Amino acid sequence: MSLSPPAMGMEFGWWDKDEDGVKWQINARFHGGHVVFSRKTGHNSSWEDFAPTDEQWDRLVSEAERRLPRRLMSTKEFNLLKGQRPT
């Protein structure tokens, strides 16, 4: 029985502030080759999907890159994730 991590079902999360100074909890889900960004402002608010900024994409790629050496993400998964970024 293998105990490898589940393929293609990952979440990344961090806190960010927008241009108005509002603090957002950011969640990026990577599943089935698709990336979905969601955000909310507090514990009592609902998650809403949104279009990420270039900086938020940079943060996601950076967070994913850190998982490679620890084998929490394969090179194939990393390349698929990077391929989702709009140009």
Short mmCIF file of all heavy atoms in Angstrom, two decimals, residues 7-58:
data_model
loop_
_atom_site.label_atom_id
_atom_site.label_comp_id
_atom_site.label_asym_id
_atom_site.label_seq_id
_atom_site.Cartn_x
_atom_site.Cartn_y
_atom_site.Cartn_z
N ALA A 7 -2.77 12.73 -5.92
CA ALA A 7 -2.38 13.47 -7.12
C ALA A 7 -3.41 14.53 -7.47
O ALA A 7 -4.61 14.27 -7.42
CB ALA A 7 -2.20 12.50 -8.28
N MET A 8 -2.94 15.69 -7.83
CA MET A 8 -3.75 16.75 -8.42
C MET A 8 -4.87 17.28 -7.53
O MET A 8 -5.88 17.69 -8.03
CB MET A 8 -4.33 16.27 -9.74
CG MET A 8 -3.32 15.76 -10.72
SD MET A 8 -2.00 16.92 -11.07
CE MET A 8 -2.90 18.11 -12.01
N GLY A 9 -4.73 17.27 -6.24
CA GLY A 9 -5.73 17.86 -5.38
C GLY A 9 -5.05 18.65 -4.27
O GLY A 9 -4.91 18.13 -3.18
N MET A 10 -4.62 19.86 -4.56
CA MET A 10 -3.84 20.64 -3.59
C MET A 10 -4.48 21.98 -3.33
O MET A 10 -5.14 22.54 -4.18
CB MET A 10 -2.44 20.87 -4.13
CG MET A 10 -1.63 19.64 -4.19
SD MET A 10 -0.04 20.02 -4.86
CE MET A 10 0.24 18.50 -5.73
N GLU A 11 -4.21 22.47 -2.13
CA GLU A 11 -4.65 23.81 -1.75
C GLU A 11 -3.46 24.61 -1.26
O GLU A 11 -2.57 24.07 -0.62
CB GLU A 11 -5.71 23.75 -0.65
CG GLU A 11 -7.05 23.30 -1.13
CD GLU A 11 -8.14 23.55 -0.10
OE1 GLU A 11 -7.94 24.36 0.82
OE2 GLU A 11 -9.19 22.91 -0.24
N PHE A 12 -3.51 25.88 -1.55
CA PHE A 12 -2.50 26.83 -1.09
C PHE A 12 -3.26 27.98 -0.45
O PHE A 12 -4.33 28.35 -0.93
CB PHE A 12 -1.68 27.36 -2.27
CG PHE A 12 -0.94 26.29 -3.03
CD1 PHE A 12 -1.58 25.55 -4.01
CD2 PHE A 12 0.39 26.02 -2.75
CE1 PHE A 12 -0.91 24.57 -4.71
CE2 PHE A 12 1.07 25.04 -3.44
CZ PHE A 12 0.43 24.31 -4.42
N GLY A 13 -2.71 28.55 0.60
CA GLY A 13 -3.40 29.65 1.24
C GLY A 13 -2.45 30.65 1.86
O GLY A 13 -1.35 30.30 2.28
N TRP A 14 -2.88 31.90 1.87
CA TRP A 14 -2.12 32.98 2.50
C TRP A 14 -3.04 34.18 2.71
O TRP A 14 -4.18 34.18 2.28
CB TRP A 14 -0.90 33.36 1.66
CG TRP A 14 -1.23 33.93 0.30
CD1 TRP A 14 -1.43 35.24 -0.02
CD2 TRP A 14 -1.38 33.21 -0.93
NE1 TRP A 14 -1.72 35.37 -1.36
CE2 TRP A 14 -1.69 34.14 -1.94
CE3 TRP A 14 -1.30 31.87 -1.28
CZ2 TRP A 14 -1.90 33.77 -3.25
CZ3 TRP A 14 -1.52 31.51 -2.60
CH2 TRP A 14 -1.80 32.46 -3.57
N TRP A 15 -2.55 35.18 3.42
CA TRP A 15 -3.28 36.42 3.65
C TRP A 15 -2.69 37.50 2.76
O TRP A 15 -1.49 37.54 2.51
CB TRP A 15 -3.18 36.85 5.11
CG TRP A 15 -3.96 35.96 6.02
CD1 TRP A 15 -3.52 34.81 6.61
CD2 TRP A 15 -5.32 36.11 6.39
NE1 TRP A 15 -4.53 34.24 7.35
CE2 TRP A 15 -5.65 35.02 7.24
CE3 TRP A 15 -6.30 37.06 6.12
CZ2 TRP A 15 -6.90 34.86 7.80
CZ3 TRP A 15 -7.56 36.89 6.68
CH2 TRP A 15 -7.85 35.81 7.51
N ASP A 16 -3.55 38.40 2.28
CA ASP A 16 -3.14 39.48 1.38
C ASP A 16 -3.99 40.71 1.66
O ASP A 16 -5.08 40.60 2.19
CB ASP A 16 -3.36 39.01 -0.07
CG ASP A 16 -2.53 39.74 -1.09
OD1 ASP A 16 -1.77 40.66 -0.70
OD2 ASP A 16 -2.62 39.40 -2.28
N LYS A 17 -3.46 41.88 1.31
CA LYS A 17 -4.24 43.12 1.43
C LYS A 17 -4.44 43.70 0.04
O LYS A 17 -3.53 43.68 -0.79
CB LYS A 17 -3.50 44.15 2.30
CG LYS A 17 -3.63 43.89 3.77
CD LYS A 17 -3.07 45.04 4.57
CE LYS A 17 -3.23 44.75 6.05
NZ LYS A 17 -2.67 45.81 6.88
N ASP A 18 -5.64 44.24 -0.20
CA ASP A 18 -5.89 44.88 -1.49
C ASP A 18 -5.50 46.35 -1.44
O ASP A 18 -5.01 46.85 -0.42
CB ASP A 18 -7.34 44.67 -1.95
CG ASP A 18 -8.37 45.34 -1.06
OD1 ASP A 18 -8.00 46.22 -0.25
OD2 ASP A 18 -9.56 44.99 -1.20
N GLU A 19 -5.75 47.05 -2.54
CA GLU A 19 -5.35 48.46 -2.64
C GLU A 19 -6.08 49.36 -1.65
O GLU A 19 -5.63 50.45 -1.33
CB GLU A 19 -5.52 48.98 -4.08
CG GLU A 19 -6.94 48.94 -4.61
CD GLU A 19 -7.38 47.59 -5.16
OE1 GLU A 19 -6.54 46.67 -5.28
OE2 GLU A 19 -8.58 47.43 -5.44
N ASP A 20 -7.22 48.90 -1.14
CA ASP A 20 -7.98 49.67 -0.14
C ASP A 20 -7.59 49.33 1.29
O ASP A 20 -8.18 49.84 2.24
CB ASP A 20 -9.48 49.44 -0.32
CG ASP A 20 -9.98 49.92 -1.68
OD1 ASP A 20 -9.46 50.95 -2.17
OD2 ASP A 20 -10.86 49.26 -2.25
N GLY A 21 -6.61 48.42 1.45
CA GLY A 21 -6.17 48.02 2.78
C GLY A 21 -7.01 46.93 3.43
O GLY A 21 -6.83 46.62 4.60
N VAL A 22 -7.93 46.33 2.66
CA VAL A 22 -8.77 45.25 3.18
C VAL A 22 -7.95 43.96 3.19
O VAL A 22 -7.31 43.61 2.21
CB VAL A 22 -10.04 45.06 2.32
CG1 VAL A 22 -10.86 43.88 2.82
CG2 VAL A 22 -10.87 46.33 2.30
N LYS A 23 -7.96 43.27 4.34
CA LYS A 23 -7.21 42.03 4.49
C LYS A 23 -8.06 40.86 4.01
O LYS A 23 -9.20 40.69 4.47
CB LYS A 23 -6.81 41.85 5.95
CG LYS A 23 -5.83 40.74 6.19
CD LYS A 23 -5.38 40.76 7.65
CE LYS A 23 -4.38 39.67 7.91
NZ LYS A 23 -3.99 39.63 9.32
N TRP A 24 -7.51 40.06 3.09
CA TRP A 24 -8.21 38.93 2.51
C TRP A 24 -7.47 37.63 2.80
O TRP A 24 -6.25 37.59 2.73
CB TRP A 24 -8.30 39.07 0.98
CG TRP A 24 -9.17 40.17 0.51
CD1 TRP A 24 -8.78 41.45 0.22
CD2 TRP A 24 -10.57 40.12 0.26
NE1 TRP A 24 -9.87 42.19 -0.20
CE2 TRP A 24 -10.98 41.39 -0.18
CE3 TRP A 24 -11.53 39.11 0.37
CZ2 TRP A 24 -12.30 41.67 -0.51
CZ3 TRP A 24 -12.83 39.40 0.03
CH2 TRP A 24 -13.20 40.67 -0.40
N GLN A 25 -8.22 36.59 3.10
CA GLN A 25 -7.65 35.26 3.16
C GLN A 25 -7.79 34.68 1.76
O GLN A 25 -8.90 34.60 1.21
CB GLN A 25 -8.40 34.39 4.17
CG GLN A 25 -7.78 33.03 4.35
CD GLN A 25 -8.47 32.21 5.43
OE1 GLN A 25 -9.38 32.68 6.10
NE2 GLN A 25 -8.03 30.99 5.59
N ILE A 26 -6.67 34.30 1.16
CA ILE A 26 -6.64 33.80 -0.21
C ILE A 26 -6.48 32.29 -0.18
O ILE A 26 -5.69 31.75 0.59
CB ILE A 26 -5.46 34.41 -1.00
CG1 ILE A 26 -5.46 35.94 -0.94
CG2 ILE A 26 -5.43 33.90 -2.44
CD1 ILE A 26 -6.61 36.61 -1.64
N ASN A 27 -7.23 31.61 -1.04
CA ASN A 27 -7.14 30.16 -1.17
C ASN A 27 -7.05 29.85 -2.66
O ASN A 27 -7.88 30.33 -3.44
CB ASN A 27 -8.38 29.50 -0.55
CG ASN A 27 -8.36 28.01 -0.69
OD1 ASN A 27 -8.74 27.47 -1.73
ND2 ASN A 27 -7.94 27.32 0.34
N ALA A 28 -6.03 29.10 -3.05
CA ALA A 28 -5.91 28.66 -4.44
C ALA A 28 -5.99 27.14 -4.45
O ALA A 28 -5.20 26.47 -3.79
CB ALA A 28 -4.59 29.13 -5.04
N ARG A 29 -6.97 26.60 -5.15
CA ARG A 29 -7.16 25.16 -5.26
C ARG A 29 -6.67 24.71 -6.63
O ARG A 29 -7.03 25.30 -7.65
CB ARG A 29 -8.63 24.80 -5.09
CG ARG A 29 -9.17 25.13 -3.72
CD ARG A 29 -10.65 24.76 -3.57
NE ARG A 29 -11.55 25.18 -4.65
CZ ARG A 29 -12.05 26.43 -4.76
NH1 ARG A 29 -11.72 27.37 -3.90
NH2 ARG A 29 -12.88 26.71 -5.75
N PHE A 30 -5.88 23.67 -6.63
CA PHE A 30 -5.36 23.10 -7.87
C PHE A 30 -5.85 21.66 -7.94
O PHE A 30 -5.44 20.82 -7.15
CB PHE A 30 -3.83 23.15 -7.87
CG PHE A 30 -3.20 22.60 -9.12
CD1 PHE A 30 -3.56 23.07 -10.37
CD2 PHE A 30 -2.23 21.61 -9.05
CE1 PHE A 30 -2.98 22.57 -11.53
CE2 PHE A 30 -1.64 21.11 -10.20
CZ PHE A 30 -2.01 21.59 -11.43
N HIS A 31 -6.82 21.42 -8.83
CA HIS A 31 -7.41 20.09 -8.92
C HIS A 31 -7.75 19.78 -10.37
O HIS A 31 -8.36 20.60 -11.06
CB HIS A 31 -8.69 20.01 -8.06
CG HIS A 31 -9.30 18.66 -8.05
ND1 HIS A 31 -8.76 17.61 -7.34
CD2 HIS A 31 -10.38 18.15 -8.68
CE1 HIS A 31 -9.50 16.53 -7.53
NE2 HIS A 31 -10.48 16.85 -8.34
N GLY A 32 -7.33 18.63 -10.82
CA GLY A 32 -7.65 18.21 -12.18
C GLY A 32 -7.06 19.11 -13.24
O GLY A 32 -7.61 19.25 -14.32
N GLY A 33 -5.93 19.75 -12.93
CA GLY A 33 -5.28 20.62 -13.90
C GLY A 33 -5.84 22.03 -13.97
O GLY A 33 -5.45 22.80 -14.83
N HIS A 34 -6.75 22.38 -13.07
CA HIS A 34 -7.33 23.71 -13.06
C HIS A 34 -7.05 24.40 -11.74
O HIS A 34 -7.09 23.78 -10.68
CB HIS A 34 -8.85 23.65 -13.29
CG HIS A 34 -9.21 23.04 -14.61
ND1 HIS A 34 -9.08 23.72 -15.80
CD2 HIS A 34 -9.68 21.81 -14.93
CE1 HIS A 34 -9.46 22.93 -16.79
NE2 HIS A 34 -9.82 21.76 -16.29
N VAL A 35 -6.80 25.70 -11.81
CA VAL A 35 -6.56 26.50 -10.61
C VAL A 35 -7.74 27.43 -10.39
O VAL A 35 -8.18 28.11 -11.32
CB VAL A 35 -5.27 27.34 -10.75
CG1 VAL A 35 -5.05 28.18 -9.51
CG2 VAL A 35 -4.07 26.45 -11.00
N VAL A 36 -8.27 27.43 -9.16
CA VAL A 36 -9.37 28.32 -8.80
C VAL A 36 -8.94 29.12 -7.59
O VAL A 36 -8.54 28.56 -6.57
CB VAL A 36 -10.66 27.53 -8.48
CG1 VAL A 36 -11.77 28.48 -8.05
CG2 VAL A 36 -11.10 26.69 -9.67
N PHE A 37 -8.99 30.44 -7.72
CA PHE A 37 -8.66 31.33 -6.61
C PHE A 37 -9.96 31.77 -5.92
O PHE A 37 -10.91 32.15 -6.59
CB PHE A 37 -7.95 32.59 -7.12
CG PHE A 37 -6.50 32.39 -7.46
CD1 PHE A 37 -6.10 31.85 -8.67
CD2 PHE A 37 -5.52 32.76 -6.54
CE1 PHE A 37 -4.77 31.68 -8.98
CE2 PHE A 37 -4.18 32.59 -6.85
CZ PHE A 37 -3.80 32.05 -8.06
N SER A 38 -9.96 31.71 -4.59
CA SER A 38 -11.09 32.17 -3.78
C SER A 38 -10.55 33.08 -2.69
O SER A 38 -9.38 33.00 -2.33
CB SER A 38 -11.83 31.00 -3.13
OG SER A 38 -12.31 30.11 -4.10
N ARG A 39 -11.43 33.92 -2.14
CA ARG A 39 -11.02 34.81 -1.06
C ARG A 39 -12.20 35.11 -0.15
O ARG A 39 -13.35 34.98 -0.55
CB ARG A 39 -10.44 36.10 -1.61
CG ARG A 39 -11.45 36.97 -2.32
CD ARG A 39 -10.80 38.20 -2.88
NE ARG A 39 -11.82 39.02 -3.55
CZ ARG A 39 -11.58 40.17 -4.12
NH1 ARG A 39 -10.36 40.65 -4.12
NH2 ARG A 39 -12.54 40.85 -4.69
N LYS A 40 -11.87 35.49 1.09
CA LYS A 40 -12.87 35.96 2.03
C LYS A 40 -12.19 36.91 3.01
O LYS A 40 -10.98 36.88 3.19
CB LYS A 40 -13.59 34.82 2.75
CG LYS A 40 -12.74 34.03 3.71
CD LYS A 40 -13.58 32.97 4.38
CE LYS A 40 -12.81 32.23 5.46
NZ LYS A 40 -13.68 31.36 6.24
N THR A 41 -13.00 37.76 3.65
CA THR A 41 -12.43 38.79 4.52
C THR A 41 -12.43 38.42 5.99
O THR A 41 -11.78 39.07 6.78
CB THR A 41 -13.19 40.12 4.36
OG1 THR A 41 -14.57 39.89 4.61
CG2 THR A 41 -12.98 40.70 2.99
N GLY A 42 -13.14 37.41 6.40
CA GLY A 42 -13.17 37.04 7.81
C GLY A 42 -13.80 35.68 8.00
O GLY A 42 -14.26 35.06 7.05
N HIS A 43 -13.85 35.24 9.24
CA HIS A 43 -14.39 33.91 9.53
C HIS A 43 -15.87 33.78 9.20
O HIS A 43 -16.33 32.70 8.86
CB HIS A 43 -14.16 33.56 11.00
CG HIS A 43 -12.71 33.44 11.36
ND1 HIS A 43 -11.89 32.47 10.85
CD2 HIS A 43 -11.92 34.20 12.15
CE1 HIS A 43 -10.67 32.61 11.32
NE2 HIS A 43 -10.66 33.67 12.11
N ASN A 44 -16.61 34.86 9.28
CA ASN A 44 -18.05 34.79 9.07
C ASN A 44 -18.49 35.09 7.64
O ASN A 44 -19.68 35.09 7.34
CB ASN A 44 -18.77 35.75 10.03
CG ASN A 44 -18.54 35.36 11.47
OD1 ASN A 44 -18.48 34.18 11.79
ND2 ASN A 44 -18.39 36.33 12.34
N SER A 45 -17.55 35.37 6.76
CA SER A 45 -17.91 35.66 5.37
C SER A 45 -17.73 34.41 4.51
O SER A 45 -17.02 33.48 4.89
CB SER A 45 -17.08 36.82 4.83
OG SER A 45 -15.71 36.49 4.84
N SER A 46 -18.39 34.40 3.37
CA SER A 46 -18.32 33.25 2.45
C SER A 46 -17.16 33.42 1.49
O SER A 46 -16.75 34.54 1.16
CB SER A 46 -19.62 33.15 1.65
OG SER A 46 -20.71 32.95 2.50
N TRP A 47 -16.66 32.29 1.00
CA TRP A 47 -15.61 32.31 -0.03
C TRP A 47 -16.22 32.79 -1.34
O TRP A 47 -17.33 32.40 -1.69
CB TRP A 47 -15.03 30.92 -0.22
CG TRP A 47 -14.17 30.47 0.92
CD1 TRP A 47 -14.53 29.64 1.92
CD2 TRP A 47 -12.81 30.82 1.15
NE1 TRP A 47 -13.48 29.45 2.78
CE2 TRP A 47 -12.42 30.17 2.33
CE3 TRP A 47 -11.90 31.63 0.50
CZ2 TRP A 47 -11.12 30.30 2.86
CZ3 TRP A 47 -10.62 31.76 1.03
CH2 TRP A 47 -10.24 31.10 2.18
N GLU A 48 -15.47 33.62 -2.06
CA GLU A 48 -15.89 34.05 -3.39
C GLU A 48 -14.73 33.84 -4.35
O GLU A 48 -13.59 34.14 -4.05
CB GLU A 48 -16.30 35.53 -3.38
CG GLU A 48 -15.19 36.47 -2.97
CD GLU A 48 -15.63 37.94 -2.91
OE1 GLU A 48 -16.71 38.21 -2.38
OE2 GLU A 48 -14.85 38.79 -3.40
N ASP A 49 -15.04 33.27 -5.51
CA ASP A 49 -14.02 33.08 -6.55
C ASP A 49 -13.69 34.45 -7.14
O ASP A 49 -14.55 35.33 -7.21
CB ASP A 49 -14.51 32.15 -7.64
CG ASP A 49 -14.68 30.70 -7.16
OD1 ASP A 49 -14.21 30.39 -6.04
OD2 ASP A 49 -15.28 29.91 -7.89
N PHE A 50 -12.44 34.63 -7.54
CA PHE A 50 -12.02 35.91 -8.13
C PHE A 50 -10.88 35.69 -9.10
O PHE A 50 -10.23 34.65 -9.10
CB PHE A 50 -11.62 36.90 -7.02
CG PHE A 50 -10.29 36.59 -6.38
CD1 PHE A 50 -9.14 37.30 -6.73
CD2 PHE A 50 -10.18 35.59 -5.43
CE1 PHE A 50 -7.93 37.01 -6.14
CE2 PHE A 50 -8.97 35.31 -4.83
CZ PHE A 50 -7.84 36.02 -5.18
N ALA A 51 -10.64 36.70 -9.93
CA ALA A 51 -9.52 36.67 -10.88
C ALA A 51 -8.28 37.23 -10.17
O ALA A 51 -8.28 38.37 -9.74
CB ALA A 51 -9.85 37.51 -12.10
N PRO A 52 -7.22 36.43 -10.03
CA PRO A 52 -6.05 36.86 -9.29
C PRO A 52 -5.19 37.87 -10.06
O PRO A 52 -5.22 37.92 -11.28
CB PRO A 52 -5.27 35.56 -9.08
CG PRO A 52 -5.67 34.71 -10.24
CD PRO A 52 -7.10 35.07 -10.53
N THR A 53 -4.42 38.64 -9.30
CA THR A 53 -3.47 39.58 -9.88
C THR A 53 -2.19 38.82 -10.27
O THR A 53 -2.00 37.67 -9.88
CB THR A 53 -3.10 40.67 -8.87
OG1 THR A 53 -2.43 40.06 -7.76
CG2 THR A 53 -4.32 41.43 -8.38
N ASP A 54 -1.31 39.48 -10.99
CA ASP A 54 -0.01 38.88 -11.32
C ASP A 54 0.76 38.54 -10.05
O ASP A 54 1.43 37.51 -9.97
CB ASP A 54 0.82 39.82 -12.20
CG ASP A 54 0.30 39.88 -13.63
OD1 ASP A 54 -0.42 38.95 -14.06
OD2 ASP A 54 0.62 40.87 -14.32
N GLU A 55 0.68 39.42 -9.04
CA GLU A 55 1.39 39.18 -7.79
C GLU A 55 0.86 37.94 -7.08
O GLU A 55 1.63 37.19 -6.47
CB GLU A 55 1.29 40.40 -6.86
CG GLU A 55 2.03 41.63 -7.34
CD GLU A 55 1.29 42.41 -8.42
OE1 GLU A 55 0.06 42.23 -8.60
OE2 GLU A 55 1.96 43.19 -9.12
N GLN A 56 -0.45 37.72 -7.15
CA GLN A 56 -1.02 36.53 -6.52
C GLN A 56 -0.63 35.26 -7.27
O GLN A 56 -0.36 34.22 -6.66
CB GLN A 56 -2.54 36.67 -6.41
CG GLN A 56 -2.91 37.70 -5.35
CD GLN A 56 -4.32 38.22 -5.49
OE1 GLN A 56 -4.91 38.23 -6.56
NE2 GLN A 56 -4.86 38.70 -4.37
N TRP A 57 -0.52 35.34 -8.59
CA TRP A 57 0.00 34.20 -9.36
C TRP A 57 1.45 33.94 -8.98
O TRP A 57 1.86 32.78 -8.82
CB TRP A 57 -0.12 34.45 -10.86
CG TRP A 57 -1.38 33.91 -11.45
CD1 TRP A 57 -2.47 34.64 -11.87
CD2 TRP A 57 -1.72 32.55 -11.66
NE1 TRP A 57 -3.44 33.79 -12.33
CE2 TRP A 57 -3.02 32.50 -12.22
CE3 TRP A 57 -1.05 31.34 -11.43
CZ2 TRP A 57 -3.65 31.30 -12.56
CZ3 TRP A 57 -1.68 30.15 -11.76
CH2 TRP A 57 -2.96 30.14 -12.32
N ASP A 58 2.24 35.01 -8.87
CA ASP A 58 3.65 34.85 -8.47
C ASP A 58 3.75 34.15 -7.12
O ASP A 58 4.58 33.26 -6.93
CB ASP A 58 4.35 36.20 -8.38
CG ASP A 58 4.56 36.86 -9.75
OD1 ASP A 58 4.46 36.17 -10.77
OD2 ASP A 58 4.83 38.08 -9.76
#
